[in-house]
Amino acid sequence: EPRRVAARAAARRITWERGGRVGGEVGYAVRFDQQIGPDTRIKIVTDGVLLRMLHDDPFLEQASIVIFDEFHERGLNADLALAMVRRVQQTVRPELKIVVMSATLAAEPIAQFLGNCPIIEAEGRNFPVDVSFIPHEDPRPLPEKTAAAVAGVLERVTGDVLVFLPGVGEIRRTAERLAGLAARHNLAVMELYGDLPAEQQDAVLSPADRRKVVLATNVAETSITIEGVTAVVDTGVARVLRYEPAAGLDRLVLTKISRSSADQRTGRAGRTQPGLCLRLWTERDHIARPAAEEPEVRRVDVAGPVLQLAAWGEQDAARFPWFESPSAAALEQADALLTRLGAIKDRRVTELGSDMARLPVHPRIARLLVDGHWLGEPARAALAGALLSERDPFLRERPTDPHNRPRLAVHRSRSDILDRVIALEDFDRRGSTGWEIGKLNVGAARFTLHVRDQLLAILRQDRSHHAPRDVSTGVPPRRPIPHAEREVYDADEVVLRCLFAAFPDRLARRREPGSRGGVLAGGRGVRLAEQSSVMDDDLFVCVDVDADKSESLVRLASAVDREWLDPDRMTTEDEFNFDESAERVVAIRRTSWDGLVLDTVPVALPSERKVAETLAAAAATRLDRVLPPDESFTGFLTRVRCLREWMPQVQLPALDYDQLRALLPELCLGRRTFAELREAPW
């Protein structure tokens, strides 16, 4: 199943159909949660769990059939897992059976990929749904117009209402708008999204003693049935992952859903009886929408899948038989990042990469966790990894009302992530936090701590026998690091070092002391958010970046000490430049790390020829500023040019700008300034 909610719901449904209990004949395994027993014969898993199974058991020797449900969602993990299972079937297990299921997917391409397998159609029993659009665009904020639409729909149906919203923030604000209506009509306003605790998800899917209004993300679009729903209110938007090259990571982008997704959502209202669907966009807008969603394999970072393939023994992801291959640029980007993280070398997985591939997180977070384990702070690294993997439990804005923060302390730890780690540790101990990071979402905080515990358990279970690694290079040191020597790094510094190891390609240098501006390798500008506490250090990594056309906003940053930089990646070179204001050639020594200029210092000018070449290049574009200004020279030029025109038979030179420029290399020898060049024997 593509989603955790769907996997648990399917396990419960099949168990109900066959009798028994979940964890018996039928079980499920999702990220950080499973009910599997010794008698389990039908294991319902998410695609991420299936990838982990393929890592631990490359031939899936305990499985006879693998069924991919709701494949039309085209998640990246599902695409990868299908291709890997097909590879197993073609090479070592021809008896393994593969079934791909979907209500909307074009069947022919996938059947061809599976060796022209049979296509079986099973007609469903959907009831008719009355679909309507709004007559014109509604300019009101999304929560406001959604709440108004729900109120209108409740008057037209007697059953429950399912509302599709793009994210948790919109869900919460819509719930606030519906609070009065719910109180007057005894409605149960319920939330449904992927990170919701399992027991709360179960409550949404179970029958209730009053009418329900379920505010859901697109987790409710397929795979699950909410009993009693007879109406759908569809906002027509969703947040989807999309790779942002300027930021170097996937970002959730608000986008209009496709016509196919709209049809899927509409069908939720006709599962048990006739219903209606109100779409909060115009019919004209609907016609202009894409027919189907763009597969994730075309729009997200593929570093994780490439690492999985490398750990699985596939050296060339470009030649791997994908159902639909990522772009060459995406594969190159993934290869470069994994090489930079030390996970692969010459397209082969390293020992470090094998450790990282075992962890159910992005390779960056995996590197952070592995290094945190070896530097003696696995719990703190796991909490930092959980914070970066899950929804931020802190609101972005710090409280501004002094009456709301009389006892809060401003903690400046040189790292916005470490600030959050310390605040959550405080919350874990006391049930509250005294650090001024922002308003804490208690539910999200508890979920983040739960993820920390799960990551920590996996770290301790899967710890390797490899030697500890240098956190700046990813390469095992010449000798193991004794425990006593690890203690030279305090707990805070370990987190900062691990963050740098996870984001080495996002190192930035502050433009000037006290400034929020910085520059990345290549010269791209960044600006630290006003809430960032990283204000004193010259170097920092940009962990959470909101890319813009001109200057990217760094929401979360973490300081880096210069001595942590791998000296093998440091380069020093002397450059000759022309100082425009002084009109002279100067030499600077530029020190860079992975393309990021760390500092420039003036040095003595070297060989005369290189100086002359630099001066000549500058003078060639500013010829009027280097020609002698005296009348004898200008008069001479005038006489020669006139004679050339009046007496062409003499064949005098043109002495135009091109011929004058040709003299520069010789005239610049032994000279360093425009002033000296003007005194040359022109």
Side-chain angles (χ1 to χ4, degrees):
E1 293 287 352
R3 301 178 188 276
R4 288 172 280 181
V5 179
R8 285 190 290 256
R12 285 193 300 270
R13 177 69 184 194
I14 299 173
T15 300
W16 179 83
E17 295 262 2
R18 295 182 59 78
R21 61 177 181 82
V22 175
E25 179 191 44
V26 181
Y28 70 82
V30 301
R31 187 186 184 201
F32 305 147
D33 180 24
Q34 70 172 17
Q35 289 193 33
I36 301 290
D39 299 325
T40 299
R41 296 192 60 214
I42 303 173
K43 180 186 288 188
I44 303 173
V45 301
T46 54
D47 40 30
V49 172
L50 178 55
L51 288 174
R52 178 64 183 263
M53 293 170 62
L54 282 160
H55 189 281
D56 295 338
D57 177 16
F59 300 154
L60 289 181
E61 293 178 348
Q62 296 183 353
S64 300
I65 306 171
V66 182
I67 301 174
F68 293 84
D69 193 20
E70 305 292 354
F71 193 73
H72 63 270
E73 293 200 15
R74 294 297 307 280
L76 181 58
N77 283 342
D79 269 28
L80 175 63
L82 174 64
M84 293 172 72
V85 174
R86 174 65 172 154
R87 184 80 147 184
V88 170
Q89 183 191 59
Q90 289 179 308
T91 54
V92 293
R93 292 204 52 204
E95 80 284 1
L96 181 65
K97 292 180 172 59
I98 302 172
V99 180
V100 177
M101 304 198 301
S102 170
T104 61
L105 182 73
E108 289 75 15
I110 193 72
Q112 185 178 5
F113 177 74
L114 295 176
N116 295 313
C117 69
I119 298 175
I120 301 171
E121 294 186 8
E123 295 292 336
R125 295 185 301 169
N126 254 25
F127 291 88
V129 177
D130 179 23
V131 179
S132 60
F133 298 87
I134 59 175
H136 49 78
E137 293 294 340
D138 190 338
R140 290 179 294 176
L142 187 64
E144 183 179 340
K145 64 183 180 184
T146 303
V150 170
V153 165
L154 282 167
E155 296 178 357
R156 299 170 57 188
V157 298
T158 57
D160 299 335
V161 179
L162 173 60
V163 184
F164 284 99
L165 290 152
V168 177
E170 291 84 0
I171 286 175
R172 298 269 164 80
R173 290 191 290 274
T174 303
E176 292 171 359
R177 296 271 184 177
L178 290 170
L181 181 71
R184 290 193 300 272
H185 296 280
N186 191 30
L187 303 172
V189 178
M190 311 180 82
E191 301 177 357
L192 181 60
Y193 51 89
D195 290 343
L196 196 69
E199 60 273 12
Q200 295 182 42
Q201 293 179 0
D202 294 344
V204 175
L205 302 180
S206 302
D209 57 0
R210 52 183 173 153
R211 293 181 74 185
K212 292 188 292 188
V213 176
V214 180
L215 308 178
T217 61
N218 55 5
V219 300
E221 192 172 298
T222 59
S223 304
I224 62 173
T225 297
I226 304 175
E227 298 290 343
V229 168
T230 57
V232 165
V233 175
D234 188 358
T235 60
V237 289
R239 282 190 173 86
V240 300
L241 282 175
R242 189 171 296 278
Y243 181 66
E244 174 55 63
L249 74 163
D250 293 333
R251 293 176 56 218
L252 282 171
V253 179
L254 188 68
T255 186
K256 294 179 179 179
I257 63 171
S258 67
R259 298 196 302 272
S260 174
S261 289
D263 291 342
Q264 286 279 356
R265 294 179 174 190
T266 296
R268 301 294 100 187
R271 302 287 282 182
T272 57
Q273 58 182 295
L276 65 87
C277 173
L278 174 59
R279 294 173 174 171
L280 300 185
W281 65 95
T282 66
E283 195 163 6
R284 182 177 180 179
D285 179 13
H286 185 73
I287 296 172
R289 295 185 176 217
E293 303 296 333
E294 184 182 26
E296 274 192 356
V297 72
R298 294 184 193 163
R299 55 179 166 84
V300 302
D301 178 22
V302 295
V306 171
L307 177 58
Q308 291 294 331
L309 288 175
W312 204 53
E314 292 283 347
Q315 296 180 20
D316 191 348
R319 295 187 178 182
F320 178 70
W322 302 79
F323 172 54
E324 184 175 342
S325 179
S327 69
L331 291 172
E332 289 174 7
Q333 178 82 20
D335 187 77
L337 175 60
L338 293 172
T339 300
R340 187 66 191 82
L341 293 174
I344 62 174
K345 184 176 182 180
D346 299 327
R347 292 185 173 176
R348 293 178 181 271
V349 69
T350 62
E351 290 181 340
L352 171 60
S354 294
D355 291 350
M356 292 165 57
R358 293 187 180 98
L359 299 169
V361 290
H362 188 277
R364 291 188 188 275
I365 310 303
R367 177 69 204 262
L368 183 154
L369 294 173
V370 171
D371 283 4
H373 170 72
W374 280 114
L375 291 178
E377 290 290 338
R380 273 205 152 179
L383 184 51
L387 275 163
L388 295 175
S389 301
E390 306 301 327
R391 188 162 49 93
D392 191 348
F394 297 95
L395 298 181
R396 296 293 185 188
E397 298 79 13
R398 296 177 187 268
T400 56
D401 183 357
H403 298 292
N404 291 338
R405 50 174 182 171
R407 291 181 297 276
L408 295 181
V410 178
H411 185 77
R412 295 193 179 276
S413 67
R414 303 177 64 211
S415 171
D416 299 319
I417 295 87
L418 184 56
D419 286 349
R420 284 161 166 73
V421 167
I422 293 172
L424 280 179
E425 289 173 339
D426 197 25
F427 171 78
D428 195 22
R429 287 191 301 268
R430 304 189 304 150
S432 62
T433 181
W435 299 114
E436 182 199 328
I437 306 297
K439 185 178 179 181
L440 182 67
N441 181 330
V442 173
R446 287 175 178 154
F447 183 78
T448 302
L449 291 168
H450 174 66
V451 173
R452 173 203 62 183
D453 295 340
Q454 296 289 346
L455 290 175
L456 190 57
I458 295 172
L459 261 182
R460 289 170 173 163
Q461 175 185 352
D462 288 351
R463 64 183 183 271
S464 70
H465 302 291
H466 307 149
R469 297 171 180 84
D470 186 299
V471 295
S472 66
T473 64
V475 178
R478 292 184 177 85
R479 59 184 176 84
I481 302 175
H483 183 73
E485 290 188 28
R486 294 187 201 173
E487 295 178 354
V488 299
Y489 307 142
D490 64 28
D492 289 1
E493 183 178 335
V494 167
V495 175
L496 268 64
R497 283 177 173 266
C498 292
L499 287 166
F500 174 47
F503 298 90
D505 54 324
R506 295 206 212 141
L507 183 67
R509 176 179 53 81
R510 199 179 302 275
R511 291 190 184 276
E512 54 191 33
S515 166
R516 290 193 175 273
V519 61
L520 294 164
R524 182 172 179 83
V526 295
R527 174 162 291 277
L528 290 163
E530 292 298 322
Q531 295 79 21
S532 176
S533 63
V534 183
M535 286 302 300
D536 299 325
D537 293 87
D538 183 50
L539 298 175
F540 56 89
V541 285
C542 307
V543 177
D544 185 355
V545 184
D546 186 6
D548 198 358
K549 292 181 180 179
S550 56
E551 194 173 59
S552 297
L553 178 68
V554 181
R555 294 196 186 98
L556 299 176
S558 184
V560 173
D561 288 346
R562 184 158 174 166
E563 66 246 31
W564 301 348
L565 306 185
D566 178 11
D568 291 340
R569 294 183 176 272
M570 202 82 71
T571 59
T572 301
E573 55 185 11
D574 293 342
E575 295 183 2
F576 311 103
N577 292 310
F578 184 76
D579 187 329
E580 191 76 35
S581 59
E583 293 190 334
R584 66 182 299 119
V585 177
V586 295
I588 59 171
R589 180 157 295 159
R590 191 185 306 275
T591 303
S592 303
W593 189 84
D594 255 15
L596 175 66
V597 178
L598 300 179
D599 53 49
T600 56
V601 294
V603 293
L605 288 171
S607 72
E608 294 292 336
R609 181 160 296 279
K610 286 189 175 293
V611 174
E613 289 173 356
T614 304
L615 182 61
T621 60
R622 308 164 180 84
L623 197 58
D624 288 336
R625 291 162 57 183
V626 299
L627 294 176
D630 57 274
E631 294 182 2
S632 61
F633 178 74
T634 55
F636 174 72
L637 284 183
T638 302
R639 291 196 301 277
V640 172
R641 289 167 178 171
C642 287
L643 282 171
R644 175 182 171 84
E645 181 178 350
W646 299 337
M647 303 174 63
Q649 69 274 15
V650 182
Q651 297 184 348
L652 290 175
L655 293 189
D656 55 14
Y657 276 4
D658 286 341
Q659 287 191 345
L660 293 175
R661 288 191 184 97
L663 301 174
L664 288 171
E666 181 179 351
L667 292 174
C668 288
L669 286 173
R671 296 177 175 83
R672 300 182 177 187
T673 69
F674 276 5
E676 293 175 353
L677 187 54
R678 285 191 288 268
E679 298 297 325
W682 287 89

